[in-house]
Amino acid sequence: MDRNYFGITDTGKVRSNNEDTFIAQRIVGTDFILACVIDGVGGYTGGEVAAAIARKTVIRLMDNPAGDISLLMQATFAEANEQIIEAKKHNKEYEDMACVMTLALADLKNNQFYYAHVGDTRLYLLRDNSLIKISKDQSFVGFMEDSGRLTEEQAMQHPKRNEINKALGFAGNIGLQKDYVETGQSPFLPGDLILLCSDGLSDMVNKQGVTDALLQNNELEQKGIQLINVANANGGRDNITVVLVRNDNEVFIHEATKPISKPKKKKIPVVITETPLKVNEVTNTNSPEISDKPVRQSKTAKLSGYLINFVIILLLLVIAVMVWKRFFNNSTEIKHQLPDEVVFNKYAQALKLQDTLDKLKGNILILDDSVFTSPILIAEPIRINRDSLYLKATGNITIKSDTGYQGQPFLIAPANKSTLLENFTLENFYDLKSLERKGVLLKNVQFITTGQPSIANP
């Protein structure tokens, strides 16, 4: 076990089964540590199933973090949500199941951590002996506490403390709801410690009690066990889960150096002449005489001025005519290029996809094959003008190049930072290097160009 991360879960003193689960592991080959706490809800076995689905999804999608980490986290939550909803459809026993989750990714190389959160599991940061609550409980009682209307003690004893507003499995297409998943990032300095926990801890141990346990001079394992023991000693009314991650990078202390003294500037002596210079006195004897009479313009100069003005006006007229002709020709060409009804029907799915992307408020779009008829035929690339996008297909959706079109399937805007495509088939496209140059992430994407499909599934 690495000494800078640790996770533990306990059933508690009241419940007979544990619906909590967690992740605490280093991502192989990287400086990232993945930490996650998941609390299942909805029946004796349903909560466990929902939590297990979410855990599996996190491990699968967060196996190689790259690009926009916040977008990747939101995509992970959206995917877990869809997987839970799909499982509910096939088993009535699980129709009420859901889960809440807090996910953190510690980047030790760059001293940063990223997080995403839904529900009432929590994320804390311990720095300089002070414990700071990072996440916000998505519940009525949590809102009342965060806004100062309830004290911590009142919130811990409130009869509605376990009623939550948001969870994975409550509603579909959470990626379309901009604020459904809380995300953020923060500096993770050497010596910092982050704590992820389920409400089985936060409902049983107050902030001071958690701080006291974390400040003990012992290893993370002992800190985690002590938190579990304190929660159980206070009643253990729910499952208790704790995940700890510490930044054990060396603290760089810069030695104080004396400021370099600046050399004193030499004083420049001021020389005062015995006979001061008169303001009207001309000192340059070679200067031509200055006349008080106004200078009259010659006839030749006047003609030259008229000629220059005429040429300028003529050039402006020529430019105006050229601009008007170009506008008129473009307008005519656009009119001729407007698709008729047959062409519109041919590319209706592509136009609908483009319109959906243009009107998308969030940065996650999940395409259902019951809404988008496959194949989506295109004669020009689908434009992605967003700074980040997660585009996923459910079912079998193919984006196909029309006969004669040899371009690329997507045109990624220069301002785009991260795009993730999942579960698509791209047919008859030969210009795919542009996607590679833009660093587009591909998950389970098939390419069919010569009749032989290939799969991109990093």
Side-chain angles (χ1 to χ4, degrees):
M1 179 195 73
D2 281 21
R3 60 187 179 88
N4 62 338
Y5 65 85
F6 175 75
I8 185 172
T9 186
D10 187 81
T11 304
K13 296 296 185 182
V14 175
R15 305 253 179 153
S16 58
N17 68 312
N18 193 345
E19 295 181 317
D20 285 5
T21 187
F22 70 90
I23 303 169
Q25 64 186 44
R26 182 182 293 272
I27 298 177
V28 178
T30 72
D31 292 309
F32 290 110
I33 294 178
L34 185 63
C36 184
V37 166
I38 309 169
D39 185 355
V41 296
Y44 185 77
T45 58
E48 291 183 49
V49 174
I53 292 173
R55 184 180 188 278
K56 183 178 179 181
T57 303
V58 169
I59 292 175
R60 176 170 61 88
L61 289 182
M62 299 295 297
D63 62 341
N64 185 24
D68 188 333
I69 301 298
S70 294
L71 172 64
L72 182 60
M73 286 184 162
Q74 291 179 61
T76 300
F77 274 66
E79 172 67 7
N81 185 71
E82 294 302 314
Q83 293 291 332
I84 292 170
I85 290 178
E86 189 65 22
K88 291 167 68 171
K89 292 178 182 178
H90 293 87
N91 194 330
K92 290 185 178 181
E93 183 182 357
Y94 302 149
E95 61 183 0
D96 294 325
M97 74 176 179
C99 68
V100 292
M101 179 165 71
T102 298
L103 172 64
L105 185 71
D107 181 0
L108 298 181
K109 181 178 180 181
N110 297 302
N111 293 324
Q112 290 274 326
F113 74 84
Y114 305 83
Y115 68 91
H117 162 76
V118 164
D120 60 355
T121 47
R122 290 185 177 183
L123 171 65
Y124 291 92
L125 170 65
L126 181 71
R127 175 181 295 166
D128 297 331
N129 300 331
S130 178
L131 189 66
I132 304 168
K133 181 170 172 281
I134 302 295
S135 60
K136 297 184 181 298
D137 294 347
Q138 295 171 335
S139 65
F140 169 75
V141 174
F143 169 76
M144 296 292 284
E145 181 184 354
D146 290 337
S147 60
R149 293 174 173 85
L150 291 176
T151 65
E152 182 184 22
E153 289 74 18
Q154 290 172 335
M156 291 173 66
Q157 300 300 323
H158 200 283
K160 295 185 177 181
R161 66 185 180 278
N162 298 124
E163 295 182 8
I164 52 179
N165 301 328
K166 298 177 182 179
L168 301 181
F170 273 9
N173 291 325
I174 64 173
L176 300 179
Q177 304 179 44
K178 187 175 182 181
D179 298 325
Y180 199 94
V181 180
E182 177 192 0
T183 61
Q185 70 181 87
S186 169
F188 190 40
L189 306 181
D192 284 356
L193 177 71
I194 56 175
L195 161 69
L196 294 81
C197 67
S198 63
D199 61 344
L201 177 71
S202 57
D203 282 350
M204 294 288 101
V205 186
N206 63 21
K207 186 176 179 181
Q208 187 58 53
V210 173
T211 304
D212 291 342
L214 295 179
L215 290 179
Q216 296 295 316
N217 186 21
N218 52 17
E219 297 297 323
L220 294 187
E221 182 176 359
Q222 282 71 44
K223 295 180 190 295
I225 294 173
Q226 184 175 353
L227 288 171
I228 297 290
N229 291 338
V230 174
N232 279 325
N234 291 344
R237 293 193 300 262
D238 200 353
N239 307 143
I240 312 157
T241 303
V242 170
V243 171
L244 298 167
V245 181
R246 178 170 53 203
N247 187 339
D248 57 356
N249 290 337
E250 293 184 6
V251 179
F252 293 97
I253 302 176
H254 300 280
E255 294 183 359
T257 56
K258 293 182 178 180
I260 301 174
S261 58
K262 296 181 180 179
K264 295 182 179 180
K265 295 183 179 180
K266 295 182 179 179
K267 295 184 178 180
I268 302 174
V270 179
V271 180
I272 303 176
T273 59
E274 294 182 358
T275 56
L277 182 67
K278 296 180 180 180
V279 175
N280 296 329
E281 184 176 354
V282 180
T283 58
N284 188 353
T285 57
N286 295 325
S287 300
E289 293 185 2
I290 301 175
S291 174
D292 294 333
K293 297 179 181 181
V295 179
R296 295 184 179 180
Q297 203 173 18
S298 64
K299 292 183 179 180
T300 304
K302 287 183 178 181
L303 290 174
S304 299
Y306 293 147
L307 182 60
I308 292 172
N309 290 336
F310 175 77
V311 171
I312 292 173
I313 293 172
L314 183 61
L315 286 173
L316 291 174
L317 288 173
V318 171
I319 293 172
V321 171
M322 292 175 64
V323 170
W324 179 83
K325 289 180 68 178
R326 183 177 181 84
F327 175 80
F328 177 79
N329 290 338
N330 285 346
S331 300
T332 305
E333 183 179 353
I334 291 171
K335 289 179 180 179
H336 287 307
Q337 290 178 350
L338 289 176
D340 55 20
E341 186 176 355
V342 175
V343 175
F344 178 82
N345 290 334
K346 186 178 183 180
Y347 301 113
Q349 296 299 306
L351 293 173
K352 182 165 68 172
L353 174 57
Q354 186 65 68
D355 183 63
T356 304
L357 282 171
D358 293 340
K359 294 179 179 178
L360 183 65
K361 293 183 179 179
N363 51 12
I364 300 175
L365 178 60
I366 298 178
L367 305 183
D368 195 326
D369 58 358
S370 64
V371 178
F372 287 86
T373 305
S374 187
I376 299 176
L377 192 66
I378 68 171
E380 60 181 24
I382 302 296
R383 300 182 305 279
I384 297 178
N385 297 320
R386 320 179 65 80
D387 59 352
S388 59
L389 177 68
Y390 172 50
L391 186 61
K392 179 194 171 183
T394 60
N396 181 22
I397 293 183
T398 298
I399 298 178
K400 184 178 180 180
S401 171
D402 195 10
T403 304
Y405 178 63
Q406 299 293 324
Q408 54 193 350
F410 297 96
L411 182 61
I412 313 295
N416 180 272
K417 298 177 182 177
S418 179
T419 295
L420 172 61
L421 303 177
E422 185 173 5
N423 293 349
F424 283 97
T425 297
L426 302 179
E427 186 173 346
N428 292 340
F429 291 102
Y430 299 90
D431 182 14
L432 297 173
K433 291 185 178 180
S434 58
L435 299 182
E436 297 176 2
R437 289 193 297 269
K438 289 297 297 182
V440 176
L441 300 176
L442 303 177
K443 291 276 186 179
N444 194 28
V445 175
Q446 297 187 23
F447 301 95
I448 301 177
T449 54
T450 59
Q452 296 295 328
S454 58
I455 299 177
N457 190 15

